[in-house]
Amino acid sequence: MIKVLILAYDFPPYISVGGLRPYHWYKNFRKFGLDPIVITRQWGHSDGSETDYAKPGLSGEVITEETEWGTVLHGPYHPNFSNRLLLKYGIERYKTVRKFLSGMNEILQFFLPIGTKLEIYKTAYNYLKNNKVDIVIASGEPFVLFHYAKRLSKRFRVPWVADYRDPWSSNLRNKNWCYFKYYAFIEKRTAVNASLISTVSTFVEHQIRQQVPMGAFCIAANGYDEEVLATLHASKQNAEVFQMAFVGTIYEWHPLEIVLTALNEWAVSNPQRKFELHFYGTNRNEKILQMVNHHFPQLKEVVKVHPKLSNQRLLERLSKHNALLLFNYYAFMGTKIYDYLALKRKIVFCFTNDQGANELKQKFYLLDTQGALETLQEELIRATNSGVIVENAAQLQETMNDLYAEHQQAGRIACESKGIEAYSRILQVEKLAEALKRVAQNSKTA
């Protein structure tokens, strides 16, 4: 088998969407002739809280895990001063100090042996001193892993691959000019040395090519975990209460308050209706509760927030809900939409043309898409017949009336989706595996 060394900061048991991509490489590469060796950090104390990433590891030594899928080396993790402040005083205190210290680490880690990701490089270096691999792939972000992969490639004469889950410097173009110029320089000098660049969509490829115009690309989307979801298709929806759920990060351009306002008005007009809106693992759980308590009294018993859950537990929960809320991500497809598709629960997509949402986009959606298509999610939902495309807040209330009536009559919400098999994650892993084998073969014959 071709041996592949994987550098992945986010990796289970840490609860992170970003960790699922390298985890599925690890689980499936052997099916396609690749033997994975994952280098990650120790995540022994992950419980879904906001401070998980700052907690110390379990041991000062590398912990090696061998399974039927491959090998995982969990490097030690020692919280830096910024993280120790966070753990001791909480997320609200010393924000400015922590932000300054973290910023300095992020900038200087490309030139000095510092930073919380350095142990991944050390663990990989020590492994490669005694073991030969055919290829190194780094999953970013954190993008400093690309820097480490490049150094390992040069030192041990092995090709390396840069896997972008998101754009790097182009994300900063309209946010901070100084950071953008700095990271654009770092990105160009780093990724140009990769034998292959893999990413999740043609849009992200376009963003990368603004800084790294040369090089071979492989598009391998994220997709859904067919093994987990195969056990959930028989799950019964809640027949007593109409439940809708949202999962993941809430960005400033997302029309959260607009949606809550519409639902509050709908609840005021229909106080007898049993309805719940569940938020899972968002970055704004406390803000959601504060918003509801101060501005949306009719939703106090309706809105429920939950901490981050492992992917399997999360999908088990979602499979019992009746509908799934999705905010417009414009030029990005995102990750959660694939699990939404596979769960076969009606997607409620907000919005295509709401005045307030458009104003939020204009103010906060700072990514320069350069004319790229901004209706990816909408088109996928239409192509798979998997949801309701909601234009604005007024139509959301009409949609709620329709869905509630269906739930009352049938005890469930039907989702007659089609063609979702094409978005299985294992198919995407196979695409990447074939590309990696070509890189390894070309390196041997060079």
Side-chain angles (χ1 to χ4, degrees):
M1 280 192 175
I2 294 173
K3 289 188 173 294
V4 181
L5 189 76
I6 301 169
L7 306 186
Y9 189 75
D10 288 15
F11 198 80
Y14 182 53
I15 300 171
S16 157
V17 171
L20 294 177
R21 187 169 172 86
Y23 179 66
H24 283 275
W25 301 343
Y26 163 66
K27 279 185 64 178
N28 294 296
F29 267 177
R30 283 187 173 174
K31 297 174 184 176
F32 306 111
L34 304 179
D35 188 18
I37 304 98
V38 179
I39 310 293
T40 187
R41 57 159 283 192
Q42 294 173 16
W43 292 106
H45 300 284
S46 182
D47 59 9
S49 70
E50 290 184 276
T51 59
D52 269 356
Y53 72 92
K55 295 174 182 176
L58 297 172
S59 169
E61 304 295 327
V62 175
I63 299 174
T64 301
E65 180 183 3
E66 298 277 358
T67 73
E68 71 272 24
W69 301 318
T71 304
V72 184
L73 303 180
H74 303 268
Y77 180 77
H78 310 287
N80 59 17
F81 182 61
S82 174
N83 288 344
R84 292 198 299 272
L85 285 176
L86 172 64
L87 293 172
K88 185 173 182 179
Y89 296 105
I91 201 163
E92 295 300 325
R93 295 184 63 185
Y94 300 110
K95 279 186 175 181
T96 303
V97 174
R98 297 200 323 267
K99 187 175 181 179
F100 172 77
L101 293 174
S102 296
M104 292 303 296
N105 269 314
E106 289 297 313
I107 291 171
L108 296 176
Q109 65 186 343
F110 291 93
F111 299 97
L112 299 174
I114 61 172
T116 55
K117 291 83 179 178
L118 183 61
E119 286 292 342
I120 288 183
Y121 172 75
K122 291 181 178 179
T123 302
Y125 184 90
N126 290 331
Y127 179 84
L128 290 175
K129 283 197 303 184
N130 302 303
N131 301 272
K132 180 175 174 53
V133 301
D134 299 290
I135 192 168
V136 175
I137 180 169
S139 178
E141 55 184 281
F143 294 109
V144 71
L145 297 189
F146 291 179
H147 172 65
Y148 294 152
K150 174 187 171 183
R151 290 178 61 183
L152 294 169
S153 171
K154 183 177 180 180
R155 171 63 178 81
F156 296 100
R157 300 181 181 277
V158 60
W160 78 279
V161 174
D163 180 72
Y164 285 77
R165 300 193 304 271
D166 294 292
W168 185 356
S169 62
S170 58
N171 265 353
L172 303 168
R173 185 185 297 275
N174 295 324
K175 296 180 182 179
N176 187 306
W177 186 86
C178 292
Y179 273 177
F180 164 67
K181 298 300 289 186
Y182 171 76
Y183 283 114
F185 165 73
I186 296 293
E187 179 176 10
K188 183 174 293 185
R189 80 167 197 169
T190 303
V192 74
N193 296 107
S195 296
L196 175 72
I197 294 175
S198 60
T199 191
V200 297
S201 69
T202 54
F203 170 71
V204 180
E205 176 189 351
H206 176 72
Q207 294 291 307
I208 298 166
R209 284 193 183 275
Q210 294 178 39
Q211 310 306 324
V212 192
M214 306 297 291
F217 276 76
C218 169
I219 306 300
N222 285 311
Y224 63 87
D225 185 344
E226 63 288 328
E227 292 182 4
V228 172
L229 288 160
T231 67
L232 301 177
H233 283 162
S235 297
K236 291 185 178 180
Q237 299 181 28
N238 190 312
E240 302 299 320
V241 179
F242 173 34
Q243 296 179 331
M244 187 161 63
F246 174 87
V247 180
T249 303
I250 296 176
Y251 295 98
E252 290 176 307
W253 69 80
H254 283 162
L256 171 65
E257 190 167 354
I258 297 170
V259 167
L260 291 179
T261 299
L263 294 180
N264 190 73
E265 292 174 359
W266 182 76
V268 168
S269 302
N270 306 279
Q272 77 286 358
R273 294 181 174 178
K274 294 181 179 180
F275 168 70
E276 292 177 356
L277 176 59
H278 293 254
F279 290 91
Y280 288 92
T282 82
N283 54 324
R284 300 191 177 189
N285 279 2
E286 289 301 319
K287 182 176 181 178
I288 291 169
L289 291 178
Q290 291 173 7
M291 193 181 297
V292 168
N293 287 332
H294 293 155
H295 303 294
F296 306 113
Q298 201 68 24
L299 299 182
K300 284 186 178 181
E301 302 301 320
V302 168
V303 171
K304 317 287 183 182
V305 300
H306 309 273
K308 289 182 179 180
L309 300 171
S310 69
N311 197 50
Q312 181 158 349
R313 289 183 61 199
L314 173 63
L315 294 175
E316 288 171 355
R317 293 277 192 93
L318 294 179
S319 69
K320 294 176 171 58
H321 295 321
N322 310 109
L324 301 170
L325 174 64
L326 183 69
F327 292 133
N328 197 335
Y329 210 168
Y330 303 108
F332 287 100
M333 187 69 79
T335 300
K336 72 170 71 73
I337 190 170
Y338 296 111
D339 285 338
Y340 278 19
L341 288 176
L343 283 164
K344 292 184 176 291
R345 298 294 180 265
K346 183 82 77 176
I347 298 172
V348 179
F349 180 79
C350 298
F351 297 107
T352 59
N353 190 28
D354 179 87
Q355 180 178 346
N358 291 341
E359 291 172 358
L360 289 173
K361 178 177 184 285
Q362 186 71 25
K363 183 177 181 180
F364 295 113
Y365 192 79
L366 302 178
L367 181 65
D368 182 5
T369 62
Q370 298 187 330
L373 192 66
E374 295 188 3
T375 56
L376 297 181
Q377 295 169 312
E378 178 183 348
E379 292 189 5
L380 179 58
I381 292 169
R382 292 187 190 280
T384 55
N385 191 40
S386 55
V388 182
I389 307 298
V390 183
E391 180 178 356
N392 52 38
Q395 189 183 347
L396 176 59
Q397 294 194 40
E398 296 173 9
T399 299
M400 293 297 294
N401 285 332
D402 294 340
L403 294 178
Y404 188 85
E406 181 180 351
H407 182 267
Q408 281 290 97
Q409 183 176 5
R412 62 190 299 273
I413 302 295
C415 180
E416 305 298 334
S417 56
K418 59 183 181 181
I420 66 169
E421 297 79 11
Y423 305 100
S424 163
R425 197 181 282 265
I426 196 168
L427 296 180
Q428 305 304 318
V429 172
E430 183 178 13
K431 288 182 186 178
L432 179 60
E434 293 304 316
L436 294 182
K437 284 191 282 190
R438 288 193 294 271
V439 170
Q441 186 62 41
N442 291 341
S443 176
K444 290 178 181 179
T445 59

